[in-house]
Amino acid sequence: MSADLHADTADIADVTDAVDVVCLGESMVTFVPSSPGRLADVPAFSRGIGGAESNVACSLARVGHTARWISRVGADGFGDHLVAEIAAAGVDVSYVRRDPDRPTGIYFRTAGERALTDAHQGEEPVSEVVYYRAGSAASAMSPRRVPRERAWSGRVLHLTGITAALSDDCHTLMRELTARAPGRPLLSFDVNYRTALWRGRDCRLLLDLARGCDLVFVGEDEAVAAWGLRGADAVRAALPEPAVLVVKQGSAGATAYARQPDGGDAVVFEPALDVDVVASVGAGDAFAAGFLSGTLRGLPVAARLRHGHLMAAAALTVPGDLGTPPSRERADGLVALDAGAWGTLRFGPGWTDTGTPGTVRAEVPHP
């Protein structure tokens, strides 16, 4: 295996009867306006689901991996809806617990209007999100309520910084699950910094959690907002511990730092795809799912990054949190393109629906 294609799959634990990935965290029912505009002005909402960790689980299940979601939801209709929808995506929900005393979290956000602002109009798309999650069932997760052997029941455990901010018990749970101990699976951690959740709290707690993990995802914008770190190299300098660090750089692309046997890093950059954005919600989760899929398959780091970009493109071109990912065969064909051909790809709404004429851009070849 060449140095710049070093894979970390050898570190994935061999757990008897394990699923590929366990994703632990809160999912909420989301309400999206039926038409674009301010939340104060729209007359009706449609219902969906949203949650960073369950988004990753659903995306992985849809491309053929076994995924398990662990969480708590209320003993209410919203909890019923969440569990049913996530299970329908092929995710194992057997470790989700119902809380008779706490509600399922919900949130409202603006409709997924395209971020295709005309320069001559000079208007920015409206963006509002209002959460009703304080005291939710998921905020009651704790080491007592989520036994470590359940959370460690996959080859990979995927966590995010959102969970750490939900409550003190949740933060304690995160500390326990990321502790290095025999039997720990590969730990994947998406920083997922949310300003509202960390207001008045020490964001260095996120840095501490990330240092204890094997694979870390963080956006350059998040690193600036949470820790005052500017640039991918500065993030790596602050996070030397993870075997693989992925710094997402928005529309430019993403850089991965993969530790090599000699202790140094292979640094791999892959440019992002040209996408007609409908809504950005869920794109980061989709990117993580694509990268994790490549990791589970033992693909080179560059290919993992490209799979992340493809999954993100699927999410960016739909109004909801979850896009329909391309088939594995089609994704592999696109990932195998040379740099020039990859740079010419352009994706619009419907590009993964190969059975609908006219929705796939001509520049996107079929394998």
Side-chain angles (χ1 to χ4, degrees):
M1 186 177 297
S2 63
D4 61 335
L5 301 183
H6 174 65
D8 53 9
T9 51
D11 298 326
I12 297 177
D14 181 13
V15 182
T16 303
D17 297 326
V19 294
D20 290 331
V21 180
V22 171
C23 299
L24 181 149
E26 181 172 35
S27 189
M28 294 177 289
V29 172
T30 175
F31 291 92
V32 181
S34 55
S35 59
R38 299 186 312 143
L39 291 179
D41 300 330
V42 297
F45 297 81
S46 61
R47 183 183 65 177
I49 65 171
E53 301 84 2
S54 60
N55 287 346
V56 171
C58 289
S59 295
L60 286 168
R62 288 174 173 176
V63 293
H65 297 286
T66 53
R68 176 175 294 140
W69 174 53
I70 296 179
S71 190
R72 293 174 66 84
V73 299
D76 50 36
F78 289 147
D80 294 341
H81 178 65
L82 277 175
V83 173
E85 288 293 303
I86 294 169
V91 176
D92 176 8
V93 296
S94 59
Y95 289 167
V96 177
R97 294 294 176 258
R98 311 303 292 266
D99 191 323
D101 302 317
R102 299 173 182 85
T104 303
I106 63 173
Y107 74 101
F108 294 77
R109 67 175 176 83
T110 48
E113 59 259 58
R114 295 168 182 263
L116 298 177
T117 305
D118 292 333
H120 56 272
Q121 290 180 336
E123 297 179 357
E124 291 296 326
V126 177
S127 178
E128 291 178 87
V129 180
V130 180
Y131 293 102
Y132 295 92
R133 73 195 311 176
S136 69
S139 71
M141 288 190 294
S142 67
R144 178 175 62 84
R145 290 191 167 104
V146 183
R148 189 165 70 177
E149 59 269 20
R150 289 184 177 176
W152 284 11
S153 61
R155 298 168 64 199
V156 175
L157 171 60
H158 180 71
L159 305 169
T160 81
I162 295 172
T163 304
L166 296 180
S167 68
D168 289 342
D169 279 346
C170 282
H171 180 250
T172 301
L173 174 64
M174 293 283 285
R175 298 286 294 187
E176 177 165 314
L177 294 181
T178 56
R180 298 189 183 277
R184 193 184 92 159
L186 186 143
L187 251 294
S188 169
F189 181 74
D190 192 337
V191 172
N192 248 321
Y193 174 68
R194 297 289 185 269
T195 305
L197 289 176
W198 287 94
R199 189 169 292 118
R201 304 184 66 184
D202 187 355
C203 296
R204 287 176 296 180
L205 295 174
L206 282 172
L207 201 59
D208 291 341
L209 288 171
R211 285 173 174 149
C213 297
D214 306 301
L215 165 60
V216 173
F217 302 94
V218 61
E220 273 192 327
D221 55 343
E222 294 177 302
V224 173
W227 308 318
L229 300 173
R230 297 186 180 277
D233 287 346
V235 178
R236 184 52 161 171
L239 283 171
E241 296 87 355
V244 177
L245 171 69
V246 179
V247 181
K248 297 174 290 184
Q249 296 160 295
S251 60
T255 299
Y257 297 80
R259 186 178 305 125
Q260 302 301 294
D262 63 3
D265 274 336
V267 182
V268 182
F269 172 81
E270 281 293 330
L273 295 159
D274 191 357
V275 179
D276 291 346
V277 178
V278 173
S280 59
V281 178
D285 307 327
F287 179 91
F291 193 93
L292 282 170
S293 176
T295 300
L296 286 161
R297 296 171 62 197
L299 299 182
V301 172
R304 301 182 210 180
L305 288 169
R306 285 192 172 189
H307 276 284
H309 288 318
L310 286 169
M311 283 272 215
L316 287 166
T317 48
V318 298
D321 284 52
L322 288 168
T324 300
S327 68
R328 182 175 291 187
E329 294 74 21
R330 189 174 186 212
D332 284 344
L334 294 170
V335 165
L337 293 173
D338 62 33
W342 177 263
T344 68
L345 298 177
R346 184 183 179 95
F347 297 86
W351 72 272
T352 61
D353 185 0
T354 57
T356 304
T359 60
V360 180
R361 293 301 180 109
E363 300 94 324
V364 183
H366 291 268

